[in-house]
Amino acid sequence: MRRNRLSLFLYAALTLSIAFLPDALTPKPVQSAERIHFTVGPLDLTISVDSLETFVETGEITPELRRYTRYLDDQTLEELQPLLQQSFEVSHVAVAQLAYSPIGETFLQQLGEVIQTQSRQNGFYAIRAALIQAAQDPEGITLINVIRYFPTEGLRINTRQVQELVQEFRVLLEYQDATLRAIEQQAVLEAAEFPTDFTQLPDLTQPGEFAVVRRTETITDGDRPGLNGQFGRVYDTDFYFPQDAPSPAPVIAISHGLGSNREEFAELATHLASYGFAVVVPEHIGSNTQFREDALSGLFYQLLRPEEFIDRPIDITVALDRLERFAQENPDIAGTLDMESVGVIGHSFGGYTALALAGAEINPLRLAIECRDEQINLNISLLLQCLAIELPPASIDLSDPRVRAVIAMSPVPSAILGPEGMEAIDRPTFIIAADNDFVAPAIAEQIYPFTWLTTPERYLAVLSPASHLTVIDSIFLGTTSPLDELLIGPSGGLGSQYTQALSVAFMEFYLNDRADYQPYLSAAYAEFLSQEPLNLSLIRSLTREQLEAAYGDTPPQVVRPLFEEE
């Protein structure tokens, strides 16, 4: 496995255990931290902030700092300095809103067990104050600013917990390597079963034969409350119609992720429509880009309402209802749609949405297990999923009987659905994972959930090296954000090509009953499609026993047992 810069950075940060962890938050007062304290065995050690600042600014490793950097290899040190030099200009209002939100407070409380005050108290309040003040500094949020604004004379690293995190991270990396080997071995076996000459078949990465028309409709759902006291949930939805396509056309709904928007999936929607599908892309107003920006600017208190776990699947169902009425009201569309043959594609939070529409059920017992720990967790997606624990206990059926097949790209189901919720899915399901996804870790959020599926029609694709946004990477080409490599990876647009081709094949086979598209849903096609620098593996079968055999030891506890199993 080729690890990205994030993996190197995290391992180095945890190993140093001397203030590199605050940089994970994305980063001269009257009183500020001048020394960093930590304990090794019986020794109470310290290091000056000046030594760390010298390294960040010049690359020079002082004798004081060298005592600790000697545990890092040259490559890691070379990667560290530019990462730690990065400055982020973010409004202090936005930082405050994030730090005071439920997600932000949960994360800072957990981090405060690692980064403490000098007197060994949880560093929650000090970290929050330092972040907000650093955001007001003309230099922006930097590692050194966050430390300098820490409102005590020193900060203390909880070395015991850091060591536990180091060990956990090391084991997870080793297990991830073994898991990817097991998937590659399974793909080789499956590719040999049905050899196909794909050079003689249509290229699904290219647009289809139909022209596409896009229309935007505003949907008002008066049965649900709107945002900020508005009447009804009002959201725009884009409809993509293929022109002169054979009737009736199956329908595909696309659900964007948290902090995203429908425009980011316009390319995928257009590609699918060019193959004769009608495509519906709603804007999830409670978790889109605009809502995130409004929350950070102070218009809303919460960055995400727990009700979004309910509203998102309903957004899709209501949009499908509106499309059906829209077709009835427009003679040029009437009779051209097959509303009983619907597919759903979702990314990240949208991946959860797709799985819920396919019959997966919210799992209160699993949430209670996965969300009860106060210590910091390396699975960032749990900060999102655990908000669902605030939902009322009444169960709601979010599935839609019109949905016949779903694709979940980098979904986040481990806590919100768990094995029990995933087992309820009885429709063809395709899960796509990225090996270096630090937002929704592949093993916990996609690979294990794939093994929980009981539907016989299941597929797992793994992109490598890839991250959370690789599946839609083409829309980010040319951007220069410092988060590019962490969130997208070096794929250069190949991720979008793979996603588009596999989506066409999957939906043609299961919605149009086109048997001639079945060869594309194979390990052999994934091998044919793969090119540098982005590898694609596709399998249909994987067991926990295979993963354990590849690891050669008892695997780490990725998913914990329910109460009655303890």
Side-chain angles (χ1 to χ4, degrees), residues 203 205 497-498 501-502 524-531 534 536:
D203 183 359
T205 66
Q497 289 186 33
Y498 298 170
L502 293 174
Y525 181 59
E527 182 180 325
F528 170 79
L529 203 58
S530 291
Q531 57 181 292
L534 185 64
L536 172 67

Side-chain angles (χ1 to χ4, degrees), residues 325-436:
R325 291 195 301 272
F326 180 79
Q328 294 169 354
E329 296 165 358
N330 291 269
D332 58 325
I333 300 176
T336 65
L337 305 180
D338 183 358
M339 297 303 302
E340 298 305 315
S341 186
V342 175
V344 180
I345 300 174
H347 174 250
S348 192
F349 200 6
Y352 151 79
T353 305
L355 296 172
L357 286 161
E361 302 170 349
I362 293 178
N363 192 336
L365 284 177
R366 179 62 60 186
L367 283 167
I369 286 288
E370 297 296 330
C371 303
R372 67 184 179 182
D373 285 347
E374 295 183 357
Q375 68 179 24
I376 192 169
N377 195 300
L378 296 179
N379 184 349
I380 298 175
S381 77
L382 290 180
L383 293 171
L384 165 66
Q385 297 181 64
C386 290
L387 291 178
I389 204 168
E390 300 177 23
L391 288 172
S395 61
I396 300 176
D397 183 6
L398 299 173
S399 65
D400 191 316
R402 295 170 293 191
V403 175
R404 288 179 51 187
V406 297
I407 298 176
M409 304 184 294
S410 299
V412 287
S414 67
I416 183 71
L417 303 176
E420 303 77 18
M422 294 291 289
E423 288 173 357
I425 297 175
D426 58 0
R427 285 155 252 199
T429 302
F430 198 140
I431 294 177
I432 301 178
D435 65 340
N436 285 323

Side-chain angles (χ1 to χ4, degrees), residues 447-461:
I447 296 174
Y448 268 45
F450 172 76
T451 68
W452 302 335
L453 289 169
T454 56
T455 176
E457 302 297 326
R458 61 177 187 167
Y459 303 82
L460 172 67

Side-chain angles (χ1 to χ4, degrees), residues 447-492:
I447 296 174
Y448 268 45
F450 172 76
T451 68
W452 302 335
L453 289 169
T454 56
T455 176
E457 302 297 326
R458 61 177 187 167
Y459 303 82
L460 172 67
V462 180
L463 304 176
S464 176
S467 193
H468 195 61
L469 297 179
T470 302
V471 291
I472 53 172
D473 58 357
S474 62
I475 69 172
F476 300 104
L477 292 177
T479 60
T480 58
S481 165
L483 292 179
D484 278 358
E485 187 174 344
L486 297 184
L487 289 173
I488 303 166
S491 49

